[in-house]
Amino acid sequence: MSTLPGGTWTLGDLTVTRFGYGAMQLAGPGVMGPPADREGALAVLREAVDLGITHIDTSDAYGPRVTNELIREALHPYPASLHIVTKVGATRDEQGGWPPARRPDDLRRQVHDNLDSLGLDVLDLVNLRLGNAEGPQAGSLAEAFETLAELQQEGLIRHLGVSNATEGQVAEARSIAPIVCVQNMYNLAHRHDDKLIDRLAADGVAYVPFFPLGGFTPLQSSALSAVAARLDAAPMSVALAWLLRRSPNILLIPGTSSTAHLRENIAGAGLALSPEDVTELDNIGLDSSPA
């Protein structure tokens, strides 16, 4: 059994630690180019596995290729217990943008690129990235998700998920093929998916919040600061602990390029919150602005 906070969750037939690691921050500024400290980036990945983390989130679009190649250099051949989750559906342009790339030939190429850069014959879990930088956008995902389902049938992908998706797109994806996770923006201040999280939990589907600490606009709340002060803890630690407490199907993938910060995140997620703390945090108002 994992000694990391939150224990484990099962994604299909893959058991992962609920406390995982998101590799996006290992790339350079704007998630473009190599890290300033390559050896430090490799050390963070090795430390994550040494600490018992068995869930690493990445994408060949990070860098591009940078984080996948770092993961391969640091950890290949991979421990049998380690499961790497990647995503497809967007590429990168020279300005650092994320133009959509969800046509069947785009997706097939991206899956093969992830296989190549990670040094794998099959990907454990692939999320289809939808929407854009402003958030989820309504529209059918059928053609794109059917392509991933075909790649799954061909043996190149074990499990499927969706990212940056509306509730309608989650339902549409599930009508095409089973999904094991939804990866959307969610944190203490951004609570639009509360009902979706509860429905997914009832069905045994994981919910993986990206930007669990606010992303490019760090969380700020007087209630969060007050609880953190009472616990003599950092506000970001309290925010992670609240997410693990929020629902058993929530999996955390906070990112960092520092081994010390990685250990701090793990310790923070393990904070014990009292019922009063949880009530106060639950009452933090929704942030309706796009992030």
Side-chain angles (χ1 to χ4, degrees), residues 100-142:
R102 296 192 284 268
R103 296 175 302 180
D105 57 338
D106 293 329
L107 296 171
R108 285 184 171 273
R109 182 174 62 253
Q110 290 169 68
V111 166
H112 283 282
D113 285 347
N114 276 280
L115 288 166
D116 179 64
S117 57
L118 288 168
L120 291 168
D121 296 321
V122 57
L123 298 170
D124 279 337
L125 198 166
V126 174
N127 285 310
L128 174 63
R129 184 184 190 273
L130 299 160
N132 56 32
E134 278 69 52
Q137 303 293 317
S140 175
L141 54 63

Side-chain angles (χ1 to χ4, degrees), residues 40 42-45 47-48 51 256-264:
L42 297 172
V44 169
L45 288 163
E47 179 79 355
L51 291 171
T256 178
S257 57
S258 158
T259 54
H261 190 212
L262 173 66
R263 291 189 290 270
E264 289 171 8

Side-chain angles (χ1 to χ4, degrees), residues 28-46:
V31 201
M32 292 289 286
D37 180 4
R38 184 178 184 85
E39 290 306 312
L42 297 172
V44 169
L45 288 163
R46 292 173 180 140

Side-chain angles (χ1 to χ4, degrees), residues 24 57 62 87 127-137 162-167 169-170 181-197 200 206-220 236 242-243 246 250-253 285-291:
M24 185 174 73
D57 182 86
Y62 297 164
K87 65 180 67 64
N127 285 310
L128 174 63
R129 184 184 190 273
L130 299 160
N132 56 32
E134 278 69 52
Q137 303 293 317
V162 291
S163 177
N164 206 29
T166 67
E167 291 189 44
Q169 288 164 340
V170 171
C181 73
V182 173
Q183 188 180 105
N184 279 0
M185 181 175 177
Y186 181 85
N187 53 53
L188 261 173
H190 192 280
R191 304 273 295 280
H192 295 82
D193 276 354
D194 272 333
K195 292 180 180 178
L196 177 61
I197 289 170
L200 293 174
Y207 185 94
V208 186
F210 64 77
F211 292 165
L213 301 178
F216 302 112
T217 53
L219 295 174
Q220 294 183 358
M236 296 302 99
W242 178 85
L243 280 169
R246 166 63 183 82
I250 286 183
L251 311 184
L252 300 185
I253 51 168
L286 296 180
D287 177 6
S288 60
S289 61

Side-chain angles (χ1 to χ4, degrees), residues 232-243:
D232 192 22
M236 296 302 99
S237 295
V238 174
L240 289 175
W242 178 85
L243 280 169

